[in-house]
Amino acid sequence: MRYELYYWPSIQGRGEFVRLALEQAGADYRDVARGSGTPGMERMLSWHSATPPFAPPFLKAGKLVIGQTANILLYLGEHHALAPRTEAGRLWTHQIQLTIADLVGEVHDGHHPISGSLYYADQKAAARKRTHALLTERVPKFLRYFEAILHANRSPHGAFLVGRRVSYADLSLFQVVDGLCYAFPKASAHYRKKSPRVHALAKEVAARPRIAAYLASERRIAFNRDGIFRHYPELDQVIYAR
Amino acid sequence: MRYELYYWPSIQGRGEFVRLALEQAGADYRDVARGSGTPGMERMLSWHSATPPFAPPFLKAGKLVIGQTANILLYLGEHHALAPRTEAGRLWTHQIQLTIADLVGEVHDGHHPISGSLYYADQKAAARKRTHALLTERVPKFLRYFEAILHANRSPHGAFLVGRRVSYADLSLFQVVDGLCYAFPKASAHYRKKSPRVHALAKEVAARPRIAAYLASERRIAFNRDGIFRHYPELDQVIYAR
């Protein structure tokens, strides 16, 4: 079965978490809007299917149309061994993914604290305040959490978030680290010291053959100022007390 | 098995979505912090279990400790017939729930657009702007989406979001409607006209015997200004063009 991924063709965005899982799975998929633009995607959003998504990304898998990033990963995790098969392992992986999703939402709202319909330039003052809280309180709290999970799960087989194999949550955590490094290079230099296991995992994920090939390919869209992780130098200015 | 729910004892918050599911399921559960305060909960947050939650609510189900509201509902849906058994139905219900969760997050950020660590009073100007966008753009968009789902799924058996039986997503949509009515009575009078099916569903959920008994009991905490849905009259001031 050839999957069809529907997502905005010019950004990594939330679609990237799905792309990484599809790439690691070696799945056959078409990134629809990158080939034929967004009309097809917009048609799907307007009740073309019985289970229309609220927003991209969504995945067409045979007759299924699955929306919500974490839900798509839940599906791919089960079908491509990107999560444990046990109920406990499946729920735990999904729990971590939903926590990553919360962080991603907070990162987005750092540059759009008032409204997604306004330009960044029109909410710059609030963005500066929100990003300060994001970089000094929230990101460190999330990274401490992931660091602690990796610490608790350490094994001679490598350090994954769940069990002894790579899961979709590991791929997503790589994406978060990569995005933070792009958007906030100064803050990230600090985070790297504070959460070495998280950063080691990100490095390991990036080096996996299928992911490395993907990252080097044209399929990987470069980070830019339309996505979730955006580099505005004026937002990467915080003093770290510790 | 007796479930243990861990959540802040003085607010409905995100815990309420779990409480409603447990009540509709007729499940045996203890709302731990309401009996014995939060120290037990805080202990669990600090690596008392192998799968520590990032934040409340979380549910102890035998040996499992499950965090993230939507993840807990995914579990309860499977174990208490609060979601279809088919893969397609299970994913669709979860997809709707995750979309509800997105709306809930946006409602929270309406009064806390800058930081959860600051008081509302310290981010009032931004809150006014964000809530304006929330009430005029975002909530209507979400309600249109849920309204369309109910329209597409209408049947003589009643109008549920998924299939012909009540699911945890229906219970959660009731909670959102109830919260919006409390927080934004003026805006909600407008929403009621625009999304009659959503409001009819909320009424139907509230009238279900187990839910009605719960809502009338002391187990239901009243809405207040510490929760997600907060009534600040100054935020409920928007002009609806249509």
Side-chain angles (χ1 to χ4, degrees):
Chain A
M1 178 180 60
R2 186 173 207 195
Y3 292 115
E4 288 182 1
L5 169 65
Y6 290 82
Y7 195 66
W8 305 111
S10 57
I11 59 170
Q12 292 185 11
R14 287 183 171 83
E16 198 64 14
F17 299 97
V18 182
R19 291 187 183 114
L20 286 166
L22 290 166
E23 293 284 344
Q24 175 57 38
D28 183 19
Y29 77 101
R30 194 159 76 92
D31 201 336
V32 179
R34 291 202 72 189
S36 48
T38 57
M41 180 169 91
E42 280 155 26
R43 226 173 9 251
M44 301 277 283
L45 287 169
S46 31
W47 298 91
H48 189 76
S49 81
T51 58
F54 182 73
F58 51 94
L59 186 76
K60 200 161 177 309
K63 287 185 179 176
L64 289 177
V65 178
I66 310 165
Q68 284 283 352
T69 308
N71 198 39
I72 300 170
L73 294 174
L74 183 68
Y75 171 88
L76 292 175
E78 286 189 36
H79 288 257
H80 296 278
L82 287 173
R85 286 190 182 281
T86 62
E87 176 176 49
R90 195 167 46 88
L91 289 167
W92 174 230
T93 310
H94 192 52
Q95 177 177 335
I96 296 172
Q97 187 64 40
L98 289 171
T99 305
I100 291 173
D102 285 345
L103 171 55
V104 170
E106 294 194 24
V107 168
H108 171 272
D109 283 10
H111 48 77
H112 276 77
I114 303 299
S115 166
S117 312
L118 295 174
Y119 290 111
Y120 163 66
D122 296 327
Q123 47 196 315
K124 228 168 160 173
R128 195 183 282 260
K129 287 186 203 166
R130 178 149 184 158
T131 302
H132 186 269
L134 174 75
L135 296 182
T136 57
E137 294 171 34
R138 301 298 293 169
V139 172
K141 184 175 175 179
F142 279 100
L143 291 180
R144 274 198 303 277
Y145 178 69
F146 300 129
E147 188 76 9
I149 293 175
L150 289 170
H151 178 76
N153 193 45
R154 66 193 181 283
S155 82
H157 303 267
F160 299 113
L161 287 163
V162 181
R164 298 180 167 197
R165 295 191 51 184
V166 72
S167 72
Y168 61 76
D170 295 308
L171 306 176
S172 293
L173 189 54
F174 151 74
Q175 175 65 12
V176 166
V177 169
D178 208 35
L180 289 172
C181 287
Y182 163 77
F184 309 108
K186 287 188 189 173
S188 288
H190 174 81
Y191 300 150
R192 198 171 289 116
K193 280 180 258 166
K194 293 285 180 178
S195 46
R197 291 175 200 273
V198 169
H199 286 76
L201 171 67
K203 206 173 156 185
E204 194 172 314
V205 167
R208 297 184 75 86
R210 287 173 173 171
I211 299 296
Y214 167 65
L215 296 177
S217 77
E218 288 190 354
R219 299 193 300 285
R220 172 80 164 182
I221 300 162
F223 283 108
N224 60 50
R225 280 194 183 169
D226 294 316
I228 290 168
F229 295 97
R230 302 188 185 187
H231 179 55
Y232 294 117
E234 66 273 22
L235 295 183
D236 190 24
Q237 304 290 345
V238 290
I239 294 159
Y240 295 94
R242 32 173 201 155
Chain B
M1 176 179 63
R2 187 173 207 196
Y3 292 115
E4 289 182 0
L5 170 65
Y6 290 81
Y7 196 64
W8 304 110
S10 57
I11 58 170
Q12 293 184 10
R14 288 185 170 79
E16 198 64 14
F17 299 97
V18 182
R19 291 188 183 112
L20 286 166
L22 291 166
E23 293 284 343
Q24 176 57 36
D28 184 20
Y29 77 101
R30 195 159 75 90
D31 201 337
V32 179
R34 292 202 71 188
S36 47
T38 57
M41 181 169 88
E42 280 155 27
R43 221 167 20 248
M44 299 277 282
L45 288 169
S46 30
W47 298 90
H48 189 75
S49 81
T51 58
F54 182 73
F58 51 93
L59 186 76
K60 200 162 177 305
K63 287 184 178 176
L64 290 177
V65 177
I66 309 164
Q68 284 282 354
T69 308
N71 197 38
I72 300 170
L73 293 174
L74 184 69
Y75 171 88
L76 291 176
E78 287 190 35
H79 288 257
H80 296 278
L82 285 173
R85 285 188 183 283
T86 62
E87 177 176 49
R90 195 167 48 88
L91 289 167
W92 173 230
T93 311
H94 193 51
Q95 178 177 333
I96 296 172
Q97 186 64 41
L98 290 171
T99 306
I100 292 173
D102 285 345
L103 171 56
V104 169
E106 294 193 25
V107 168
H108 173 272
D109 284 9
H111 48 76
H112 277 77
I114 303 298
S115 167
S117 312
L118 295 173
Y119 290 110
Y120 162 66
D122 296 327
Q123 47 196 315
K124 229 169 159 172
R128 196 182 281 261
K129 287 186 204 166
R130 178 150 185 157
T131 301
H132 187 270
L134 175 74
L135 296 183
T136 57
E137 295 171 35
R138 301 299 292 168
V139 172
K141 184 176 176 179
F142 278 101
L143 291 180
R144 274 198 302 276
Y145 178 69
F146 300 130
E147 187 77 7
I149 293 176
L150 288 170
H151 178 74
N153 192 45
R154 66 192 181 282
S155 83
H157 303 267
F160 299 113
L161 287 163
V162 182
R164 299 180 165 197
R165 296 190 51 183
V166 72
S167 71
Y168 60 76
D170 295 308
L171 306 175
S172 293
L173 189 54
F174 151 75
Q175 175 64 12
V176 166
V177 170
D178 208 35
L180 289 173
C181 287
Y182 163 77
F184 309 107
K186 287 187 191 175
S188 288
H190 174 81
Y191 299 150
R192 199 170 290 116
K193 280 180 259 168
K194 294 283 182 181
S195 46
R197 290 173 199 274
V198 169
H199 285 76
L201 171 68
K203 207 172 155 187
E204 193 173 313
V205 166
R208 297 183 75 85
R210 286 172 174 170
I211 298 297
Y214 166 65
L215 296 177
S217 76
E218 288 190 353
R219 300 194 299 287
R220 172 80 165 183
I221 300 162
F223 283 109
N224 60 49
R225 281 195 181 167
D226 294 317
I228 291 167
F229 294 98
R230 302 188 185 187
H231 179 54
Y232 295 116
E234 66 273 22
L235 295 184
D236 189 22
Q237 305 290 346
V238 290
I239 292 159
Y240 295 94
R242 31 171 204 158

